[in-house]
Amino acid sequence: MRSLIDIQELSTAEIDELLKIAQDIINNPAKYSEMCKGKKLATLFFEPSTRTRLSFEAAMYELGGNVLSVSSAESSSAAKGESVADTAKTISNYADIIAMRHPKEGAPLVASMNATIPVINAGDGGHNHPTQTLADLCTIYCEKGRLDNMTVGLCGDLKFGRTVHSLIAAMARYENVKFVLISPVELKVPSYVKKDILKQKNIEYVQTTELEEVMPELDVLYMTRVQKERFFNEEDYLRLKDSYILTPEKLKNAKPDLSILHPLPRVNEIAVAIDDDPRACYFKQVYYGKIMRMSLILKALEVL
Ligand code: CP
């Protein structure tokens, strides 16, 4: 049994296998409906979530398993000062697998080092969010029919957006993927992402502040929310929060087969008017997130 803390821990073959299982779950859901019978998932969320926690829980129920849940730090003994290590040791007695979200970078790693069951990182601070990346990859694959030969635009808060860092790391493995990094100067992709992934693998990328200028080039546009919870002062957040608002007008030079993704929650980054545009994929992304978490649970529990 294996934990998943960082998308980089998965080989490309393992990602491709998770995608293959996901396709089979979509086509034959009944085949999977009892595969986790008798198994329990503990969701330990010390930071707010709608999609990740509930999709993990829905995934386990759809596999015939059960769920134990901590939905906030305040409702657990973390509020009394219990360490992540002690929590992980404790939950290992109750469940077969843990999905953990924590505001501190590295907390799920610490949990995985102390648990006797697999720990899946469901988002740690501004660091990583590997299961969102699996959802994103599944969405891109299902929408475009490929993960190679494309130009991916990432727009918004590329500094604190953990989903951005994980998605770059994952997409960088595929042939002829170019990145267009669109952000305010203050919210550029961290230099370690550029140095350790893009430059190291000699991957073509450009940085810009202008979304509309690069729109015609994009096959995928990944919009992100400015991460209010990671800012140290509200003034900066207020100044930057509406840097990019995608409207139908801004899409007029976009490719007809552009895929628009957003990990959600959306605040103001995509006008509601775009929701009915066939290029909007962000609610399909929610569905694929549940399917990929089903696929991951099956592999982590060695059911498949
Ligand atoms: N995309 C995502 O992580 O959403 P939640 O914060 O609602 O889990």
Side-chain angles (χ1 to χ4, degrees):
M1 291 204 255
R2 248 178 82 184
S3 295
L4 177 63
I5 305 302
D6 185 324
I7 197 75
Q8 297 286 54
E9 293 161 17
L10 293 175
S11 67
T12 307
E14 285 171 321
I15 291 178
D16 292 346
E17 190 187 3
L18 289 169
L19 286 166
K20 198 170 155 211
I21 295 168
Q23 302 304 308
D24 198 47
I25 294 170
I26 292 168
N27 294 327
N28 305 293
K31 185 172 138 189
Y32 294 87
S33 65
E34 298 211 349
M35 281 201 181
C36 285
K37 200 170 174 188
K39 304 280 187 194
K40 281 174 278 180
L41 162 75
T43 51
L44 307 183
F45 277 60
F46 300 106
E47 201 181 51
S49 168
T50 296
R51 274 147 295 274
T52 312
R53 183 168 70 83
L54 296 182
S55 68
F56 261 114
E57 295 181 1
M60 194 50 156
Y61 284 125
E62 290 190 25
L63 293 168
N66 287 300
V67 173
L68 312 172
S69 190
V70 168
S71 59
S72 67
E74 299 73 43
S75 66
S76 77
S77 286
K80 300 178 209 162
E82 184 168 61
S83 68
V84 166
D86 285 0
T87 302
K89 285 178 188 164
T90 301
I91 302 299
S92 297
N93 292 282
Y94 306 148
D96 300 285
I97 183 167
I98 293 171
M100 173 183 273
R101 172 170 290 187
H102 203 286
K104 283 201 184 133
E105 298 181 1
L109 175 63
V110 171
S112 72
M113 290 160 69
N114 287 278
T116 56
I117 58 177
V119 175
I120 309 296
N121 179 4
D124 62 329
H127 194 215
N128 269 304
H129 194 349
T131 63
Q132 180 64 49
T133 306
L134 293 175
D136 301 341
L137 292 175
C138 189
T139 309
I140 295 170
Y141 182 73
C142 291
E143 291 301 309
K144 309 226 80 81
R146 66 186 195 280
L147 289 170
D148 51 10
N149 295 308
M150 65 178 77
T151 300
V152 179
L154 298 121
C155 178
D157 184 350
L158 308 189
K159 180 180 179 184
F160 296 118
R162 57 194 172 196
T163 66
V164 167
H165 310 156
S166 296
L167 185 59
I168 291 173
M171 288 297 291
R173 301 151 182 250
Y174 295 94
E175 288 294 311
N176 193 29
V177 173
K178 298 174 196 154
F179 294 97
V180 182
L181 308 173
I182 310 140
S183 73
V185 172
E186 295 94 326
L187 298 177
K188 279 184 180 172
V189 163
S191 47
Y192 80 87
V193 174
K194 283 183 272 184
K195 180 170 159 282
D196 298 346
I197 302 170
L198 298 172
K199 287 182 182 156
Q200 205 213 1
K201 295 188 172 196
N202 212 14
I203 289 166
E204 195 177 324
Y205 73 95
V206 289
Q207 290 185 285
T208 177
T209 55
E210 301 306 316
L211 173 60
E212 281 170 271
E213 274 179 17
V214 295
M215 188 69 87
E217 301 166 30
L218 307 180
D219 298 298
V220 171
L221 172 58
Y222 193 89
M223 296 296 294
T224 62
R225 171 178 70 90
V226 174
Q227 303 270 307
K228 183 180 183 185
E229 61 276 35
R230 316 266 176 242
F231 276 76
F232 291 111
N233 86 61
E234 186 158 12
E235 210 175 283
D236 285 347
Y237 169 71
L238 293 173
R239 184 168 51 81
L240 294 168
K241 74 182 175 68
D242 291 331
S243 299
Y244 302 99
I245 300 174
L246 190 63
T247 58
E249 171 70 11
K250 289 184 186 156
L251 281 176
K252 69 177 188 302
N253 292 324
K255 288 186 179 174
D257 65 346
L258 172 72
S259 295
I260 304 165
L261 277 69
H262 189 308
L264 303 179
R266 152 176 68 181
V267 180
N268 208 21
E269 307 80 47
I270 302 179
V272 173
I274 291 179
D275 293 1
D276 293 329
D277 188 307
R279 293 170 288 190
C281 298
Y282 30 94
F283 288 109
K284 290 186 207 170
Q285 209 174 338
V286 172
Y287 166 73
Y288 292 127
K290 180 187 70 174
I291 301 294
M292 282 304 270
R293 288 179 180 109
M294 289 172 77
S295 179
L296 181 64
I297 289 169
L298 290 167
K299 288 306 287 181
L301 289 178
E302 297 178 346
V303 173
L304 285 182

